[in-house]
């Protein structure tokens, strides 16, 4: 028979184990009515065959389609540039894509012409199947300002309205997916965290450009703001 000390010790172990399990469960993110899926720029020009293709960018589509079935609030962002946008290398004589220039709001990577309003390249992928998405946030439509983030344009002063939309919907948590991890997903996730949202980025649902180490820097910058890097399996709910 166990004496009283053994019984107390055993009960303590069970209590600690239960507390540990409860703590672990609380740390795991849950998909509920206060969680939004933000789908960033899954457009033709960012997928294979597009003018600014992200390697294997099309592979995110089935992952995002499956995730979309689990969310009651879905928002999509869409790059929506006018022709001759200031972020295009073609707008800067003597410059080529991926050169850096200084804009009034700071350093700007110059891009190939992409996601021009009304063109096929600016359209969402035809196989992106998110029928319950409620809002599309268009960005980068001001000729002199680029916009990576779905929340605030590159001048870091001009809001898109996404923050207010999510607040009014009672959203407390954002799950960010799409293209590209190191640019528009990164900036969107950082701004979501700065807006006070618990923010998660799903690895399998993103692909990166990785320009001069930009991917590693993006993950580090997101982590510094508390953005969680998760897998699909890490999103129970």
């Amino acid at each position: 028979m166990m004496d009283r000390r053994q019984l107390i010790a055993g009960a303590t172990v069970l209590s600690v184990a239960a507390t540990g399990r409860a703590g672990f469960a609380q740390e795991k993110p849950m998909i509920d009515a206060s969680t939004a899926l933000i789908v960033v720029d899954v457009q033709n020009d960012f997928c294979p065959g597009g003018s600014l293709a992200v390697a294997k960018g099309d592979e995110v589509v089935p992952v995002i389609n499956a995730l979309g079935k689990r969310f009651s609030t879905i928002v999509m962002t869409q790059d929506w540039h006018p022709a001759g946008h200031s972020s295009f290398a073609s707008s800067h004589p003597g410059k080529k894509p991926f050169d850096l220039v200084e804009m009034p709001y700071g350093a700007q990577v110059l891009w190939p012409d992409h996601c021009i309003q009304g063109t096929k390249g600016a359209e969402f992928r035809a196989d992106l199947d998110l029928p319950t998405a409620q809002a599309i946030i268009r960005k980068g439509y001001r000729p002199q300002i680029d916009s990576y983030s779905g929340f605030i344009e590159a001048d870091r002063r001009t809001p898109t309205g996404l923050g207010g939309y999510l607040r009014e919907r009672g959203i407390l948590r954002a799950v960010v997916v799409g293209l590209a991890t190191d640019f528009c997903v990164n900036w969107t996730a950082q701004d979501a965290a700065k807006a006070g949202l618990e923010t998660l980025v799903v690895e399998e649902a993103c692909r990166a450009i990785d320009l001069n180490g930009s991917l590693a820097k993006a993950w580090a910058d997101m982590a510094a703001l508390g953005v969680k890097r998760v897998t699909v399996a890490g999103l129970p709910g």
Side-chain angles (χ1 to χ4, degrees):
M1 294 180 64
M2 297 174 65
D3 64 24
R4 187 169 179 273
R5 285 172 298 178
Q6 289 174 309
L7 287 170
I8 293 172
T12 301
V13 169
L14 288 172
S15 175
V16 169
T19 302
R21 286 195 298 271
F24 178 74
Q26 289 171 0
E27 288 176 2
K28 296 188 77 173
M30 300 297 292
I31 298 172
D32 57 22
S34 65
T35 307
L37 180 66
I38 302 177
V39 181
V40 177
D41 298 0
V42 184
Q43 296 167 254
N44 290 325
D45 270 345
F46 295 130
C47 291
S51 63
L52 185 48
V54 179
K56 300 182 179 180
D58 55 327
E59 293 181 356
V60 306
V61 174
V63 183
I64 293 172
N65 287 346
L67 278 174
K69 294 177 171 60
R70 301 166 60 186
F71 287 80
S72 58
T73 299
I74 301 174
V75 178
M76 303 165 71
T77 73
Q78 186 177 25
D79 240 21
W80 195 248
H81 297 305
H85 193 270
S86 61
S87 68
F88 296 166
S90 61
S91 299
H92 300 263
K95 297 294 184 180
K96 59 184 184 301
F98 309 110
D99 282 351
L100 270 175
V101 298
E102 282 295 319
M103 296 290 208
Y105 51 80
Q108 171 69 50
V109 178
L110 296 180
W111 305 108
D113 291 22
H114 66 281
C115 296
I116 296 173
Q117 298 169 5
T119 65
K120 188 75 174 176
E123 293 177 6
F124 293 115
R125 284 271 305 193
D127 51 351
L128 188 64
D129 184 21
L130 297 171
T132 60
Q134 297 98 350
I136 296 171
I137 301 294
R138 285 177 166 168
K139 58 191 181 64
Y141 56 81
R142 293 177 174 83
Q144 300 304 318
I145 308 173
D146 202 7
S147 186
Y148 300 142
S149 171
F151 287 84
I152 304 172
E153 297 197 349
D155 63 356
R156 311 313 293 155
R157 293 192 302 271
T158 306
T160 65
L162 177 56
Y165 176 82
L166 295 178
R167 280 194 300 274
E168 290 198 356
R169 295 292 300 271
I171 299 301
L172 303 175
R173 181 183 299 113
V175 176
V176 185
V177 299
L179 303 170
T181 315
D182 41 344
F183 284 91
C184 296
V185 169
N186 171 31
W187 285 50
T188 298
Q190 288 196 49
D191 284 342
K194 290 174 183 176
L197 298 172
E198 180 186 358
T199 306
L200 307 96
V201 174
V202 183
E203 288 190 74
E204 305 101 310
C206 304
R207 293 294 183 276
I209 295 173
D210 202 9
L211 183 64
N212 300 321
S214 57
L215 179 58
K217 185 178 187 306
W219 284 123
D221 290 346
M222 286 188 277
L225 287 172
V227 175
K228 300 175 185 176
R229 180 177 179 175
V230 299
T231 63
V232 172
L235 286 171

